Amino acid sequence: MVRLHSLLDNDFYKFTMQYAVIKLFPRAQARYQFINRGKHQYPAGFDVCLREAIDQMAELRLTPAEKVFFADTCPYIDPTYFDFLQGYRYDPNEVVIKQKGSELSVHIEGYWYRTILWEVPIMALICQLYYEMTGSQRVSDEEVTNIVTQKMDKYDTLHITIADFGTRRRHSYDVHDLVIQTLKNHPSSTFIGTSNVHFAMKYKTKPIGTHAHEWFMFHAAKYGYKMANLLGLEHWADVYRGDLGIALSDTYTTEAFFKQFDKKLTKLFDGVRHDSGDAIEFAEKTIDHYRSKGIDPLSKTIIFSDGLDYEKVERIVHFCEGKIGHSFGIGTDFTNDVGLPRMNIVLKMTEAQPDEDEWTPVIKLSDEPMKHTGSPEEIEMAIKYLQIDEHA
């Protein structure tokens, strides 16, 4: 049966956001919805198997060894959080699963500080179950190792740093495990860590991440679109005081982000993360922004993480070299390159209830319009309100 092996089998930024939510927004509630971008057809009984796997998650516990690792790795997080996490239990009642024919729906609702951990593991479970229940045969373990090794040999020639960002759409736990083992054993310094805290502990590497789109989506629900990026980053800095200093830039398009990324925040944050739209255009805008603030772009870093493979990375490196710092987070091209079609699914926050206010719809305005999420009416309103020119 498909199941998770650890409470820490999740992306690092889910825990860092959870800590910030507990400190700043303990009464906030959130709703999330599964989006089947790839129009995958789910076999009969898929909902039953997913339900069983999610119910099993209630048994997960933070072990004493995991608590020590996490606390030692993150001295900037209060010890009270790790005590909280030791007592945290997934509540499967927060997750509603339905299937009609081959269509799957997943809805999550509850206090934000609790529900924030569901997204990544549920997506990983859906992927692994899909491949198992459709009888899809992947390449051998030896071939997986060879594929990763060959990619790393090529990346080594670029003299860059790379992290694994592939938990949510991985083929399976076993493939992910093998990938991290191969990356860790590769004889170079190119691989620097993983977004997955469980594997960071298992393979003695660094957990990597800061925050995700939902952080800013919630801030838009509470404070409005024009203040979402500014206050989202201000609050992040209030909690982490200069640690975890990579800012996600595309929740409401890069254009809107840089308008709110003022000189104080530009100096305070170590860099920005690119997650949609043309990477070279983004790099140009970022370099121009730093220069306009009197900051040497080479003192800052862009983390690129949007659907990367070697060709894309090579193109980005050739542009950025000597102009701005750069590093890369690679997802499914590591964890789901096994001879099968890769899944295209997301699970996004759709509504937020700040404090005890009314439920408010939330959206994401990606730099790639096809990746917008939320109701069309709310998206149209936000585009007009933020004065975004999608044809620029």
Side-chain angles (χ1 to χ4, degrees):
M1 187 190 74
V2 175
R3 62 181 298 167
L4 291 191
H5 294 68
S6 167
L7 186 72
L8 297 186
D9 189 3
N10 206 329
D11 278 344
F12 182 55
Y13 68 25
K14 283 295 182 175
F15 298 107
T16 56
M17 287 192 297
Q18 184 183 53
Y19 172 62
V21 171
I22 290 169
K23 288 182 75 76
L24 300 179
F25 309 110
R27 297 182 182 275
Q29 297 197 59
R31 290 173 177 159
Y32 300 77
Q33 181 176 333
F34 173 70
I35 303 169
N36 184 16
R37 281 182 180 163
K39 308 298 181 186
H40 306 289
Q41 303 292 300
Y42 294 91
F46 190 91
D47 57 332
V48 176
C49 293
L50 181 59
R51 177 82 266 168
E52 186 177 357
I54 287 174
D55 287 347
Q56 290 282 347
M57 289 174 64
E59 299 176 7
L60 294 173
R61 308 274 190 280
L62 187 74
T63 68
E66 288 174 331
K67 183 181 180 182
V68 170
F69 165 80
F70 212 169
D72 287 349
T73 303
C74 305
Y76 42 79
I77 294 180
D78 295 339
T80 51
Y81 172 69
F82 302 109
D83 288 342
F84 158 82
L85 198 59
Q86 194 169 31
Y88 177 88
R89 302 291 181 268
Y90 280 108
D91 180 1
N93 292 321
E94 295 167 347
V95 183
V96 176
I97 305 165
K98 295 180 181 178
Q99 184 171 356
K100 184 177 181 181
S102 60
E103 295 181 6
L104 178 72
S105 73
V106 180
H107 296 270
I108 302 164
E109 180 177 335
Y111 281 106
W112 189 24
Y113 76 87
R114 293 192 47 80
T115 56
I116 200 167
L117 293 189
W118 280 115
E119 176 193 350
V120 174
I122 287 181
M123 288 179 63
L125 287 170
I126 288 173
C127 289
Q128 184 166 344
L129 270 172
Y130 178 82
Y131 291 121
E132 288 194 8
M133 293 185 69
T134 56
S136 304
Q137 295 297 311
R138 67 172 174 89
V139 299
S140 67
D141 286 0
E142 181 181 7
E143 183 61 20
V144 170
T145 300
N146 289 339
I147 289 169
V148 174
T149 299
Q150 289 168 14
K151 287 177 180 178
M152 286 302 290
D153 288 342
K154 293 174 71 176
Y155 285 129
D156 287 347
T157 66
L158 298 177
H159 307 292
I160 57 175
T161 54
I162 285 174
D164 154 60
F165 279 13
T167 302
R168 65 189 58 223
R169 284 180 285 266
R170 67 192 183 193
H171 172 273
S172 60
Y173 175 89
D174 289 343
V175 167
H176 198 177
D177 191 12
L178 187 58
V179 166
I180 302 298
Q181 182 182 31
T182 306
L183 290 169
K184 178 67 174 174
N185 291 338
H186 195 75
S188 73
S189 57
T190 301
F191 174 65
I192 58 170
T194 172
S195 65
N196 187 291
V197 185
H198 166 65
F199 286 122
M201 177 179 173
K202 183 173 181 179
Y203 291 104
K204 296 180 174 58
T205 188
K206 183 180 179 181
I208 291 177
T210 52
H211 45 242
H213 297 106
E214 68 183 284
W215 181 252
F216 301 98
M217 292 161 74
F218 173 83
H219 278 76
K222 186 168 176 66
Y223 303 107
Y225 293 112
K226 287 197 174 180
M227 298 301 290
N229 284 315
L230 176 66
L231 290 178
L233 294 176
E234 288 276 8
H235 287 151
W236 194 257
D238 289 343
V239 172
Y240 286 106
R241 314 301 298 172
D243 282 305
L244 304 181
I246 297 294
L248 182 59
S249 59
D250 72 331
T251 309
Y252 299 109
T253 73
T254 296
E255 179 186 343
F257 173 82
F258 280 130
K259 288 178 182 176
Q260 298 173 24
F261 200 41
D262 62 18
K263 190 164 187 175
K264 170 190 166 183
L265 294 172
T266 300
K267 285 193 167 187
L268 177 62
F269 279 79
D270 300 323
V272 295
R273 178 158 74 91
H274 169 263
D275 198 49
S276 65
D278 185 85
I280 303 304
E281 289 180 12
F282 176 82
E284 288 176 328
K285 290 178 182 178
T286 304
I287 291 167
D288 288 345
H289 177 78
Y290 283 128
R291 286 174 176 164
S292 73
K293 303 296 183 185
I295 297 169
D296 180 3
L298 285 170
S299 69
K300 301 293 184 177
T301 300
I302 302 176
I303 308 295
F304 294 92
S305 62
D306 180 30
L308 299 177
D309 56 24
Y310 178 79
E311 286 70 29
K312 289 182 181 179
V313 171
E314 183 183 39
R315 176 171 165 260
I316 293 166
V317 171
H318 287 163
F319 177 82
C320 291
E321 209 160 21
K323 300 174 185 173
I324 191 167
H326 47 279
S327 188
F328 301 86
I330 298 180
T332 52
D333 198 51
F334 274 146
T335 61
N336 204 347
D337 189 2
V338 295
L340 298 170
R342 301 172 189 180
M343 299 198 72
N344 186 6
I345 58 174
V346 294
L347 209 166
K348 291 292 184 185
M349 182 188 284
T350 56
E351 293 178 87
Q353 188 184 59
D355 299 319
E356 295 177 351
D357 297 335
E358 296 179 352
W359 283 101
T360 304
V362 298
I363 61 167
K364 179 168 80 79
L365 297 178
S366 169
D367 284 332
E368 170 51 59
M370 293 297 292
K371 293 174 72 173
H372 291 346
T373 63
S375 74
E377 296 79 14
E378 191 73 18
I379 288 171
E380 184 179 0
M381 184 192 75
I383 289 171
K384 289 180 179 177
Y385 187 65
L386 291 170
Q387 298 179 320
I388 295 168
D389 182 1
E390 291 203 295
H391 305 290

